[in-house]
Amino acid sequence: MTSQVSRTTEQADGTVVGEQRKPGGVKAVRRLDRVIIRFAGDSGDGMQLTGDRFTSETASFGNDLSTLPNFPAEIRAPAGTLPGVSSFQLHFADHDILTPGDAPNVLVAMNPAALKANIGDLPRGAEIIVNTDEFTKRAMQKVGYDTSPLEDGSLDGYSLHPVPLTTLTVEALKEFDLSRKEAERSKNMFALGLLSWMYHRPTEGTERFLQQKFARSPEVMKANLAAFRAGWNFGETTEDFAVSYEIAPATTAFPVGTYRNISGNLALAYGLVTASRQAELPLFLGSYPITPASDILHELSKHKNFGVRTFQAEDEIAGIGAALGAAFGGSLAVTTTSGPGVALKAETVGLAVSLELPLLVVDIQRGGPSTGLPTKTEQADLLQAMFGRNGEAPVPVIAPRTPADCFDAALEAARIALTYRTPVMLLSDGYLANGSEPWRIPELEELPDLRVQFASGPNHTLDDGTEVFWPYKRDPQTLARPWAVPGTPGLEHRIGGIEKQDGTGNISYDPANHDFMVRTRQAKIDGIDVPDIEVDDPDGALTLVLGWGSTYGPITAAVRRLRAAGEPIAQAHLRHLNPFPRNLGAVLKGYDRVVIPEMNLGQLATLIRAKYLVDAHSYNQVNGMPFKAEQLATALKEAIDD
């Protein structure tokens, strides 16, 4: 039996590691509780695919994880330039985690631009794996390196691993009938194989993926498989990598169940399909492609077997117009977009308010204004969702807090739309849409019953005893009007954007009726049944941090850090932004200080101050990236001490 020597150390960031050294030339294995890896290269280097595959294998292994894809807005930015750098960050651990991590422990840089764009985020001592083949004089000058950073000592504070990835890939593929340029395209698979060896990731799933992806190009499939295996073997045999790492599965982080890795957009698409099945209604999506919402259109187009119809319209206005028509026809209707598209859809959203039909408007927020930052995240559409229509046109607004939560948010949006006959705004964002995490697949009995009753006959009796159908006669509890499917005998009625007479739905210009209808539509939204907000406050804190949407992960991580340091702080997070939970005012008044971090200039804080007369303090960031936990922890500590 081979003896082993074990030791345990603690890294500067607090990560506990153990190391097993084996005699006889066998490489040491170091145990970590978490690690943050960032893959970076040109947008054509396959960094997103590499990150996706590493993430999928990590999820199948059982780690908790969180990801942050980050790519340029240009379809193909100039090669080797800083604006063209694409990256994918993955944080995985043997315990519950909430964010993609503040700073990478490992950077894989495929060229000088990738190194320069990301080196500022790395802590001292981090590992850097660089593709030395790309560090030519011309490539370095293109990004402002006068001398090679691999040789001038500027990286002495890091653990540098120079690897000729391109050369090694081409050499591994020389037996295949590929040009050098074609062979070089597989260098991302070589890097994936190397990292898979370093972190003991499973390989079977990636090999199956490559076999399926390139099934119609056998030579390309074999080349990618060979490059992937060559990267693994390189890690096993090279002297430069003396240690590999183990991160155990997160066995205590998850409730019992069946899990899969899921992105926010995919979870949202699945939630919409599930909502349509639970409502026993066909699902109709009227959409126009726009970053970062297009993936929902792509995914839903695959599910015709579930009664899903997708319509790619010629523009944003046509997309929502078709969706509203589908709602009138009895479908669960959805339109997906981002902030600029919401602006274009505003008039039709107002029409849906007037018609009082169920319609889901999904806004995957991005940086603005105008075209803004298409591939970067922001949560600056809240006021647009609340008020971005002419006249008094109230709309419920809800926001998911994590990628997996997008599934539940879609079900909740459908519940409100169908129950109260109203358009609903669902505010996700680019961070949630493209990020991923483990998701427990729900059991069927856990899903809500969303079935609705269509109008089937007369609902009102005139003074002379005649039974008629009034399209605006309301349910006394929900104030929802009846939903009559076109073509139902006896239920013919007039629709349009001009003000309706209460009950009959006839066109009305009467001032008193308009006042009544405006107040009734507002009362319907105000009366929506939403759960009370829950407060996490184990220590009786004086400071409350209030968030909404995708700030949940960074806020919760920051709160955990503060509590670990002995600082009392309370946390609450809003899903329902219109109407607010009924207990929100009482909760806010129970604290001396309320801090609201947002990726905007204080939109929720503005609403909170106006409605509850609470002196809420904003902490804002609009740089296209999510908050970092340490950054928030510092800001919240200052608020506590203030």
Side-chain angles (χ1 to χ4, degrees), residues 295-580:
D295 286 341
I296 303 172
L297 169 61
H298 300 160
E299 181 61 33
L300 289 179
S301 68
K302 303 174 185 177
H303 297 293
K304 296 180 178 64
N305 55 315
F306 287 115
V308 178
R309 291 187 178 181
T310 53
F311 170 58
Q312 181 174 319
E314 67 269 26
D315 56 39
E316 296 281 5
I317 299 172
I320 190 173
L324 185 56
F328 178 61
S331 293
L332 177 59
V334 185
T335 188
T336 54
T337 188
S338 190
V342 174
L344 292 168
K345 296 177 188 290
E347 183 179 4
T348 308
V349 175
L351 177 59
V353 171
S354 174
L355 299 182
E356 300 188 45
L357 287 170
L359 174 68
L360 305 187
V361 182
V362 178
D363 177 7
I364 313 298
Q365 300 166 94
R366 71 190 204 192
S370 189
T371 307
L373 305 172
T375 62
K376 308 302 180 184
T377 194
E378 204 163 283
Q379 49 177 183
D381 292 346
L382 176 55
L383 295 183
Q384 179 178 220
M386 289 285 293
F387 306 118
R389 294 162 295 282
N390 65 297
E392 296 287 347
V395 168
V397 181
I398 70 170
R401 64 186 189 178
T402 68
D405 189 49
C406 289
F407 177 86
D408 295 315
L411 288 170
E412 176 66 356
R415 177 190 73 85
I416 293 173
L418 294 171
T419 302
Y420 296 91
R421 310 286 196 271
T422 177
V424 176
M425 297 286 294
L426 191 156
L427 297 181
S428 179
D429 61 43
Y431 172 37
L432 296 183
N434 297 316
S436 63
E437 66 176 350
W439 171 59
R440 186 180 71 84
I441 301 171
E443 302 294 335
L444 287 177
E445 58 269 18
E446 298 173 3
L447 299 173
D449 183 354
L450 300 178
R451 289 174 294 182
V452 297
Q453 293 293 324
F454 290 111
S456 58
N459 61 358
H460 185 75
T461 303
L462 299 177
D463 292 341
D464 63 3
T466 305
E467 292 186 337
V468 296
F469 174 67
W470 275 14
Y472 280 80
K473 185 170 185 176
R474 301 179 183 279
D475 181 288
Q477 297 298 319
T478 64
L479 299 183
R481 78 175 185 88
W483 194 2
V485 177
T488 306
L491 303 189
E492 297 85 357
H493 60 284
R494 181 183 294 110
I495 66 168
I498 298 178
E499 184 63 279
K500 318 294 185 299
Q501 184 182 53
D502 178 44
T504 69
N506 295 329
I507 292 174
S508 173
Y509 296 100
D510 178 62
N513 177 79
H514 175 59
D515 184 275
F516 178 81
M517 292 294 280
V518 167
R519 295 179 186 276
T520 300
R521 287 189 290 260
Q522 183 65 57
K524 181 171 69 170
I525 303 307
D526 292 341
I528 291 174
D529 181 25
V530 303
D532 283 348
I533 191 169
E534 296 181 358
V535 182
D536 176 19
D537 184 6
D539 303 312
L542 300 177
T543 300
L544 171 72
V545 54
L546 178 68
W548 69 278
S550 67
T551 57
Y552 173 78
I555 288 174
T556 307
V559 166
R560 286 182 180 179
R561 294 189 186 198
L562 289 171
R563 289 177 181 169
E567 297 288 348
I569 187 167
Q571 178 186 1
H573 206 79
L574 286 166
R575 163 176 282 178
H576 296 87
L577 297 156
N578 192 33
F580 285 131

Side-chain angles (χ1 to χ4, degrees), residues 102-241:
D102 288 357
N105 308 114
V106 182
L107 172 66
V108 180
M110 303 298 281
N111 60 20
L115 177 64
K116 184 150 194 177
N118 293 282
I119 189 66
D121 293 336
L122 268 64
R124 307 299 281 182
E127 292 193 80
I128 303 175
I129 301 171
V130 294
N131 179 14
T132 56
D133 289 325
E134 295 297 321
F135 278 72
T136 63
K137 183 176 181 180
R138 183 170 181 270
M140 289 187 290
Q141 289 178 340
K142 190 181 290 187
V143 295
Y145 282 128
D146 296 325
T147 60
S148 173
L150 310 184
E151 300 171 354
D152 63 8
S154 60
L155 301 179
D156 286 349
Y158 305 95
S159 178
L160 180 65
H161 301 279
V163 180
L165 286 172
T166 306
T167 299
L168 291 170
T169 303
V170 172
E171 179 66 20
L173 304 184
K174 63 183 180 181
E175 64 181 90
F176 299 98
D177 185 22
L178 299 172
S179 68
R180 179 179 176 85
K181 187 174 182 180
E182 290 172 329
E184 288 178 0
R185 290 175 182 162
S186 298
K187 63 181 181 289
N188 64 323
M189 287 297 105
F190 189 100
L192 178 60
L194 172 59
L195 269 293
S196 297
W197 171 83
M198 283 182 65
Y199 291 95
H200 296 231
R201 298 297 91 185
T203 60
E204 295 81 3
T206 293
E207 294 198 357
R208 284 196 303 271
F209 169 81
L210 293 173
Q211 289 165 356
Q212 294 169 2
K213 181 176 177 63
F214 299 110
R216 296 183 180 180
S217 304
E219 197 73 2
V220 175
M221 176 190 68
K222 293 176 183 177
N224 278 279
L225 284 170
F228 177 67
R229 292 165 181 165
W232 176 281
N233 293 332
F234 177 77
E236 183 72 26
T237 58
T238 183
E239 294 296 323
D240 192 38
F241 294 91

